[in-house]
Coordinates of all heavy atoms in Angstrom, one line a residue:
I114 N 0.8 -1.1 0.0 CA 0.1 0.0 0.0 C 0.9 1.2 0.0 O 1.8 1.3 0.8 CB -0.9 0.0 1.3 CG1 -1.8 -1.1 1.2 CG2 -1.7 1.3 1.3 CD1 -2.8 -1.3 2.4
L115 N 0.6 2.1 -0.8 CA 1.3 3.4 -0.9 C 1.0 4.3 0.2 O -0.1 4.2 0.7 CB 1.0 4.1 -2.2 CG 1.3 3.3 -3.5 CD1 0.9 4.1 -4.8 CD2 2.8 2.9 -3.6
D116 N 1.9 5.2 0.6 CA 1.6 6.3 1.7 C 0.5 7.1 1.3 O -0.4 7.4 2.1 CB 2.9 7.0 2.0 CG 4.0 6.3 2.6 OD1 3.6 5.2 3.3 OD2 5.1 6.6 2.5
Q117 N 0.5 7.4 0.1 CA -0.6 8.3 -0.6 C -0.9 7.8 -1.9 O 0.1 7.5 -2.7 CB 0.0 9.8 -0.7 CG 0.3 10.6 0.5 CD -1.1 10.9 1.3 OE1 -2.0 11.2 0.6 NE2 -0.9 10.8 2.6
P118 N -2.2 7.7 -2.2 CA -2.7 7.2 -3.6 C -2.1 8.2 -4.6 O -2.1 9.3 -4.5 CB -4.1 7.4 -3.6 CG -4.5 7.3 -1.9 CD -3.3 7.9 -1.4
Q119 N -1.7 7.7 -5.8 CA -1.1 8.5 -6.9 C -2.1 8.5 -8.0 O -2.8 7.6 -8.5 CB 0.1 7.7 -7.5 CG 1.2 7.7 -6.3 CD 2.4 6.8 -6.9 OE1 2.5 6.3 -7.8 NE2 3.4 6.8 -6.0
P120 N -2.4 9.7 -8.4 CA -3.5 9.9 -9.6 C -2.9 9.3 -10.9 O -1.6 9.2 -11.2 CB -3.5 11.4 -9.8 CG -2.8 12.1 -8.8 CD -1.9 10.9 -8.0
L121 N -3.9 8.6 -11.6 CA -3.6 8.0 -13.0 C -4.6 8.7 -14.0 O -5.5 9.3 -13.7 CB -4.0 6.5 -12.7 CG -3.2 5.7 -11.7 CD1 -4.0 4.3 -11.5 CD2 -1.9 5.5 -12.2
T122 N -4.1 8.4 -15.2 CA -4.9 8.9 -16.4 C -5.5 7.8 -16.9 O -5.3 7.2 -17.9 CB -3.9 9.6 -17.5 OG1 -2.9 8.6 -17.8 CG2 -3.4 10.9 -16.9
G123 N -6.7 7.3 -16.2 CA -7.4 6.3 -16.7 C -7.0 5.0 -16.0 O -6.0 4.8 -15.2
C124 N -7.7 4.0 -16.3 CA -7.3 2.6 -15.7 C -6.1 2.1 -16.4 O -6.0 1.9 -17.6 CB -8.5 1.7 -16.0 SG -8.3 0.0 -15.4
P125 N -5.1 1.7 -15.8 CA -3.8 1.4 -16.2 C -3.6 0.1 -16.8 O -2.5 -0.3 -17.1 CB -2.8 1.7 -15.0 CG -3.7 1.3 -13.9 CD -5.0 1.7 -14.2
G126 N -4.6 -0.8 -16.9 CA -4.4 -2.1 -17.3 C -5.7 -2.9 -17.4 O -6.8 -2.3 -17.4
E127 N -5.5 -4.2 -17.6 CA -6.6 -5.2 -17.6 C -7.2 -5.4 -16.2 O -6.4 -5.9 -15.4 CB -6.1 -6.5 -18.3 CG -7.2 -7.5 -18.3 CD -6.8 -8.8 -18.9 OE1 -5.6 -8.8 -19.4 OE2 -7.5 -9.8 -18.9
I128 N -8.4 -5.3 -16.0 CA -8.9 -5.5 -14.7 C -9.1 -7.1 -14.4 O -9.6 -7.7 -15.4 CB -10.4 -5.0 -14.7 CG1 -10.3 -3.4 -14.7 CG2 -11.2 -5.4 -13.5 CD1 -11.7 -2.8 -14.8
L129 N -8.5 -7.5 -13.4 CA -8.4 -8.9 -13.1 C -9.6 -9.2 -12.0 O -10.2 -10.3 -12.0 CB -7.1 -9.4 -12.5 CG -6.0 -9.3 -13.4 CD1 -4.7 -9.6 -12.7 CD2 -6.1 -10.0 -14.7
E130 N -9.9 -8.3 -11.1 CA -10.8 -8.4 -10.0 C -11.4 -7.1 -9.8 O -10.8 -6.0 -9.9 CB -10.2 -8.9 -8.8 CG -9.5 -10.2 -8.8 CD -9.0 -10.6 -7.5 OE1 -9.4 -10.1 -6.5 OE2 -8.0 -11.5 -7.5
G131 N -12.7 -7.2 -9.4 CA -13.4 -6.0 -9.0 C -14.6 -5.6 -9.8 O -14.8 -6.3 -10.9
P132 N -15.3 -4.7 -9.6 CA -15.1 -3.7 -8.5 C -15.6 -4.2 -7.1 O -16.4 -5.1 -7.0 CB -16.0 -2.5 -8.9 CG -17.0 -3.1 -9.5 CD -16.5 -4.3 -10.3
E133 N -14.7 -3.7 -6.0 CA -15.3 -3.8 -4.6 C -15.5 -2.4 -4.2 O -14.5 -1.7 -4.0 CB -14.2 -4.6 -3.8 CG -14.6 -4.8 -2.5 CD -13.5 -5.5 -1.7 OE1 -12.6 -6.3 -2.3 OE2 -13.5 -5.3 -0.5
R134 N -16.8 -2.1 -3.7 CA -17.0 -0.8 -3.4 C -16.7 -0.6 -1.9 O -17.1 -1.4 -1.0 CB -18.5 -0.5 -3.6 CG -18.8 1.0 -3.2 CD -20.0 1.6 -3.9 NE -19.6 1.8 -5.3 CZ -20.6 2.1 -6.3 NH1 -21.7 2.5 -5.9 NH2 -20.2 2.3 -7.4
I135 N -16.0 0.5 -1.5 CA -15.9 0.9 -0.3 C -16.5 2.2 0.0 O -16.2 3.2 -0.7 CB -14.3 1.2 0.0 CG1 -13.5 -0.2 -0.2 CG2 -14.1 1.6 1.4 CD1 -13.9 -1.4 0.6
E136 N -17.4 2.3 1.0 CA -18.1 3.6 1.4 C -17.9 3.8 2.9 O -18.0 2.9 3.7 CB -19.6 3.6 1.1 CG -19.9 3.3 -0.4 CD -21.4 3.5 -0.6 OE1 -22.0 4.5 -0.3 OE2 -21.9 2.5 -1.1
S137 N -17.4 5.1 3.1 CA -17.1 5.4 4.5 C -17.2 6.9 4.8 O -17.3 7.7 3.9 CB -15.6 5.0 4.8 OG -15.3 5.3 6.2
G138 N -17.4 7.3 6.0 CA -17.4 8.5 6.5 C -18.7 9.3 6.2 O -18.8 10.5 6.6
W139 N -19.8 8.8 5.7 CA -20.9 9.5 5.4 C -21.5 10.0 6.7 O -22.2 11.0 6.6 CB -22.0 8.6 4.6 CG -22.3 7.2 5.3 CD1 -21.6 6.1 5.0 CD2 -23.1 7.0 6.3 NE1 -22.0 5.1 5.8 CE2 -23.0 5.6 6.6 CE3 -24.2 7.8 7.1 CZ2 -23.8 5.0 7.6 CZ3 -25.0 7.1 7.9 CH2 -24.7 5.8 8.2
W140 N -21.4 9.4 7.7 CA -22.0 9.7 9.0 C -21.3 10.9 9.7 O -22.0 11.6 10.5 CB -21.9 8.7 10.1 CG -20.6 8.2 10.3 CD1 -19.7 8.7 11.2 CD2 -19.9 7.1 9.6 NE1 -18.5 8.0 11.2 CE2 -18.6 7.0 10.1 CE3 -20.1 6.2 8.5 CZ2 -17.5 6.2 9.7 CZ3 -19.1 5.4 8.0 CH2 -17.9 5.4 8.7
A141 N -20.1 11.3 9.1 CA -19.4 12.4 9.7 C -19.1 13.5 8.7 O -18.4 14.5 8.9 CB -18.0 12.0 10.2
G142 N -19.9 13.4 7.5 CA -19.8 14.5 6.5 C -18.6 14.4 5.8 O -18.3 15.2 4.9
A143 N -17.8 13.3 5.8 CA -16.5 13.2 5.0 C -16.9 11.9 4.1 O -16.0 10.9 4.2 CB -15.3 13.0 6.0
D144 N -17.8 11.9 3.3 CA -18.3 10.7 2.4 C -17.1 10.4 1.5 O -16.6 11.2 0.8 CB -19.4 11.1 1.7 CG -20.0 9.8 1.0 OD1 -19.7 8.8 1.4 OD2 -20.8 10.0 0.2
I145 N -16.7 9.1 1.6 CA -15.7 8.5 0.6 C -16.4 7.3 0.0 O -16.9 6.5 0.6 CB -14.4 8.0 1.2 CG1 -13.7 9.3 1.8 CG2 -13.6 7.3 0.4 CD1 -12.5 8.9 2.7
R146 N -16.5 7.4 -1.4 CA -17.0 6.2 -2.1 C -16.1 5.9 -3.3 O -15.9 6.7 -4.2 CB -18.4 6.6 -2.7 CG -19.1 5.5 -3.3 CD -20.6 5.8 -3.6 NE -21.2 6.6 -2.6 CZ -22.2 7.4 -2.7 NH1 -22.6 7.7 -3.9 NH2 -22.7 8.0 -1.7
R147 N -15.5 4.6 -3.3 CA -14.6 4.2 -4.2 C -14.8 2.9 -4.6 O -15.3 1.9 -3.9 CB -13.1 4.2 -3.5 CG -12.7 5.6 -3.0 CD -11.4 5.4 -2.3 NE -10.9 6.7 -1.9 CZ -9.8 6.9 -1.0 NH1 -9.3 5.8 -0.6 NH2 -9.4 8.1 -0.7
D148 N -14.4 2.5 -5.9 CA -14.5 1.2 -6.3 C -13.1 0.7 -6.7 O -12.2 1.3 -7.5 CB -15.2 1.2 -7.7 CG -16.8 1.2 -7.6 OD1 -17.3 1.0 -6.5 OD2 -17.4 1.6 -8.6
Y149 N -12.7 -0.3 -5.9 CA -11.4 -0.9 -6.0 C -11.3 -2.1 -6.9 O -12.2 -2.8 -6.9 CB -10.9 -1.4 -4.6 CG -10.4 -0.2 -3.8 CD1 -11.3 0.5 -2.9 CD2 -9.0 0.0 -3.7 CE1 -10.8 1.6 -2.1 CE2 -8.5 1.0 -2.9 CZ -9.5 1.8 -2.0 OH -9.0 2.9 -1.3
Y150 N -10.1 -2.2 -7.6 CA -9.9 -3.2 -8.6 C -8.5 -3.6 -8.5 O -7.5 -3.0 -8.0 CB -9.8 -2.6 -10.0 CG -11.3 -2.1 -10.3 CD1 -11.6 -0.7 -10.1 CD2 -12.2 -2.8 -11.0 CE1 -12.9 -0.1 -10.5 CE2 -13.4 -2.3 -11.4 CZ -13.8 -0.9 -11.1 OH -14.9 -0.4 -11.4
V151 N -8.1 -4.9 -8.9 CA -6.9 -5.4 -9.2 C -6.6 -5.4 -10.7 O -7.5 -6.0 -11.4 CB -6.6 -6.9 -8.6 CG1 -5.2 -7.4 -9.1 CG2 -6.9 -6.8 -7.0
V152 N -5.7 -4.8 -11.1 CA -5.3 -4.6 -12.6 C -4.0 -5.1 -12.8 O -3.0 -5.1 -12.0 CB -5.5 -3.3 -13.1 CG1 -6.9 -2.7 -12.8 CG2 -4.5 -2.3 -12.5
E153 N -3.8 -5.6 -14.1 CA -2.4 -6.1 -14.6 C -2.1 -5.3 -15.8 O -2.8 -5.1 -16.7 CB -2.5 -7.6 -15.1 CG -1.1 -8.2 -15.3 CD -1.2 -9.6 -15.6 OE1 -1.5 -10.0 -16.8 OE2 -1.0 -10.3 -14.6
Q154 N -0.8 -4.8 -15.5 CA -0.2 -3.9 -16.7 C 0.4 -4.7 -17.7 O 0.5 -6.0 -17.6 CB 0.8 -2.9 -16.0 CG 0.2 -1.9 -15.1 CD 1.2 -1.0 -14.5 OE1 2.2 -1.2 -14.1 NE2 1.1 0.4 -14.9
R155 N 0.7 -4.1 -18.8 CA 1.3 -4.9 -20.0 C 2.4 -5.8 -19.7 O 2.5 -6.9 -20.2 CB 1.6 -3.9 -21.0 CG 0.9 -3.9 -22.3 CD 1.4 -3.0 -23.4 NE 2.5 -2.0 -22.8 CZ 2.6 -0.9 -23.5 NH1 2.2 -0.6 -24.5 NH2 3.5 -0.1 -23.0
L156 N 3.4 -5.3 -18.8 CA 4.5 -6.2 -18.5 C 4.3 -7.0 -17.4 O 5.1 -7.7 -16.8 CB 5.7 -5.2 -18.2 CG 6.0 -4.3 -19.4 CD1 7.3 -3.5 -19.1 CD2 6.5 -5.1 -20.6
G157 N 3.0 -7.2 -16.9 CA 2.7 -8.3 -15.9 C 2.7 -7.7 -14.4 O 2.3 -8.4 -13.5
Q158 N 3.0 -6.5 -14.1 CA 2.8 -5.9 -12.8 C 1.3 -5.7 -12.4 O 0.6 -5.4 -13.2 CB 3.5 -4.6 -12.7 CG 3.4 -3.8 -11.4 CD 4.0 -4.4 -10.2 OE1 5.3 -4.8 -10.3 NE2 3.5 -4.7 -9.1
Q159 N 1.0 -6.2 -11.2 CA -0.3 -6.0 -10.7 C -0.4 -4.9 -9.8 O 0.4 -4.8 -8.9 CB -0.8 -7.4 -10.1 CG -1.0 -8.5 -11.0 CD -1.6 -9.7 -10.5 OE1 -1.9 -9.8 -9.3 NE2 -1.8 -10.9 -11.3
L160 N -1.4 -4.1 -9.9 CA -1.6 -2.9 -9.1 C -3.0 -3.0 -8.4 O -3.9 -3.7 -8.9 CB -1.7 -1.7 -10.0 CG -0.5 -1.5 -10.8 CD1 -0.7 -0.2 -11.7 CD2 0.8 -1.3 -10.0
W161 N -3.1 -2.3 -7.3 CA -4.4 -2.1 -6.6 C -4.7 -0.7 -6.8 O -4.0 0.3 -6.6 CB -4.2 -2.4 -5.3 CG -5.5 -2.6 -4.3 CD1 -6.7 -3.1 -4.7 CD2 -5.7 -2.1 -3.1 NE1 -7.5 -3.0 -3.7 CE2 -6.9 -2.3 -2.6 CE3 -4.8 -1.4 -2.0 CZ2 -7.5 -2.1 -1.5 CZ3 -5.4 -1.0 -0.9 CH2 -6.8 -1.3 -0.6
V162 N -5.8 -0.5 -7.6 CA -6.3 0.8 -7.9 C -7.7 1.0 -7.6 O -8.5 0.1 -7.3 CB -6.2 1.1 -9.5 CG1 -4.7 0.9 -10.0 CG2 -7.1 0.1 -10.4
Y163 N -8.1 2.4 -7.5 CA -9.6 2.7 -7.3 C -9.9 3.7 -8.2 O -9.2 4.6 -8.7 CB -9.8 2.9 -5.8 CG -9.3 4.2 -5.3 CD1 -10.0 5.4 -5.5 CD2 -8.0 4.2 -4.6 CE1 -9.5 6.6 -5.0 CE2 -7.6 5.3 -4.1 CZ -8.3 6.6 -4.3 OH -7.8 7.7 -3.7
Q164 N -11.3 3.9 -8.4 CA -11.9 4.8 -9.1 C -12.9 5.6 -8.2 O -13.7 5.0 -7.5 CB -12.7 4.4 -10.3 CG -13.2 5.5 -11.1 CD -14.0 5.1 -12.4 OE1 -14.6 4.1 -12.4 NE2 -13.8 5.8 -13.6
D165 N -12.7 7.0 -8.0 CA -13.5 7.8 -7.2 C -14.9 7.7 -7.8 O -15.1 8.0 -9.0 CB -12.9 9.1 -7.0 CG -13.8 10.0 -6.1 OD1 -14.9 10.5 -6.6 OD2 -13.3 10.1 -5.0
C166 N -16.0 7.4 -7.1 CA -17.2 7.3 -7.8 C -17.9 8.6 -8.1 O -18.7 8.7 -9.0 CB -18.2 6.5 -6.8 SG -17.7 4.7 -6.6
R167 N -17.4 9.7 -7.4 CA -18.0 11.1 -7.8 C -17.2 11.7 -9.1 O -17.8 12.0 -9.9 CB -17.8 11.8 -6.5 CG -18.9 11.6 -5.5 CD -19.1 12.7 -4.6 NE -20.2 12.5 -3.7 CZ -20.2 11.7 -2.5 NH1 -19.0 11.4 -2.2 NH2 -21.2 11.4 -1.8
S168 N -15.9 11.6 -8.8 CA -15.0 12.4 -9.9 C -14.7 11.6 -11.1 O -14.4 12.0 -12.1 CB -13.9 13.0 -9.3 OG -12.9 11.9 -8.8
K169 N -14.9 10.2 -10.9 CA -14.5 9.3 -11.9 C -13.1 9.2 -12.1 O -12.5 8.5 -13.0 CB -15.2 9.4 -13.2 CG -16.7 9.4 -13.1 CD -17.2 8.0 -12.7 CE -18.7 8.0 -12.4 NZ -19.2 6.9 -11.7
A170 N -12.2 9.9 -11.2 CA -10.8 9.8 -11.3 C -10.2 8.4 -10.9 O -10.7 7.8 -9.9 CB -10.1 11.1 -10.6
W171 N -9.1 8.0 -11.5 CA -8.4 6.8 -11.0 C -7.1 7.1 -10.3 O -6.4 8.1 -10.5 CB -8.0 6.0 -12.2 CG -9.1 5.4 -13.0 CD1 -9.8 6.0 -14.1 CD2 -9.7 4.1 -12.9 NE1 -10.8 5.2 -14.5 CE2 -10.7 3.9 -13.7 CE3 -9.4 3.0 -12.0 CZ2 -11.4 2.8 -13.8 CZ3 -10.0 1.9 -12.1 CH2 -11.1 1.7 -13.0
F172 N -6.9 6.2 -9.3 CA -5.7 6.3 -8.4 C -5.1 5.0 -8.3 O -5.7 4.0 -8.0 CB -6.1 7.0 -7.0 CG -6.7 8.3 -7.1 CD1 -8.0 8.5 -7.3 CD2 -5.8 9.4 -7.0 CE1 -8.5 9.8 -7.5 CE2 -6.4 10.7 -7.0 CZ -7.7 10.8 -7.3
K173 N -3.7 5.0 -8.1 CA -3.0 3.7 -7.7 C -2.8 3.8 -6.2 O -2.4 4.8 -5.7 CB -1.6 3.8 -8.4 CG -0.7 2.5 -8.0 CD 0.5 2.4 -8.8 CE 1.4 3.5 -8.8 NZ 2.7 3.3 -9.6
H174 N -3.3 2.8 -5.5 CA -3.3 2.6 -4.1 C -2.3 1.7 -3.5 O -1.9 1.6 -2.3 CB -4.5 2.4 -3.5 CG -4.8 3.0 -2.2 ND1 -6.1 3.2 -1.7 CD2 -4.0 3.1 -1.1 CE1 -6.1 3.6 -0.5 NE2 -4.7 3.6 -0.1
G175 N -1.7 0.7 -4.4 CA -0.8 -0.2 -3.9 C -0.2 -1.1 -5.1 O -0.7 -1.0 -6.3
L176 N 0.7 -1.9 -4.8 CA 1.4 -2.7 -5.8 C 1.4 -4.2 -5.2 O 1.6 -4.3 -4.0 CB 2.9 -2.4 -6.0 CG 3.1 -0.8 -6.6 CD1 4.3 -0.4 -6.0 CD2 3.0 -0.9 -8.1
F177 N 1.4 -5.3 -6.1 CA 1.6 -6.6 -5.7 C 2.9 -7.0 -6.0 O 3.4 -6.7 -7.1 CB 0.5 -7.4 -6.2 CG -0.9 -7.2 -5.7 CD1 -1.6 -6.3 -6.4 CD2 -1.3 -7.8 -4.6 CE1 -3.0 -6.0 -5.9 CE2 -2.7 -7.5 -4.1 CZ -3.5 -6.7 -4.9
S178 N 3.6 -7.8 -5.2 CA 5.0 -8.3 -5.5 C 4.9 -9.7 -6.1 O 4.0 -10.3 -5.9 CB 5.9 -8.1 -4.3 OG 5.2 -8.9 -3.2

């Protein structure tokens, strides 16, 4: 898992798993709604990414070894 999610320009590869929706913070006014995916890039690296459900922006949140 990365210290801070990194912005991406679209989905960076082939979706292997997902989406898995995470919703949190709505009770405190800090609503977070994200769809998480495991994707594989062209050279075989697998990433954990999410798409923000409101802005539709993609972010890299982790790497698999």
Side-chain angles (χ1 to χ4, degrees):
I114 295 178
L115 302 175
D116 289 334
Q117 294 290 323
Q119 299 174 353
L121 298 167
T122 56
C124 184
E127 178 185 352
I128 294 173
L129 300 178
E130 294 180 25
E133 180 178 340
R134 180 155 295 171
I135 303 295
E136 295 187 59
S137 179
W139 53 267
W140 58 89
D144 189 22
I145 295 172
R146 190 174 309 153
R147 300 172 175 170
D148 286 337
Y149 278 87
Y150 300 86
V151 175
V152 300
E153 184 171 89
Q154 295 184 303
R155 249 187 341 206
L156 298 177
Q158 175 68 52
Q159 291 185 2
L160 307 175
W161 191 40
V162 302
Y163 69 86
Q164 184 178 37
D165 182 281
C166 293
R167 287 201 173 85
S168 70
K169 303 300 182 196
W171 287 88
F172 295 86
K173 179 170 53 173
H174 205 156
L176 303 148
F177 292 94
S178 53

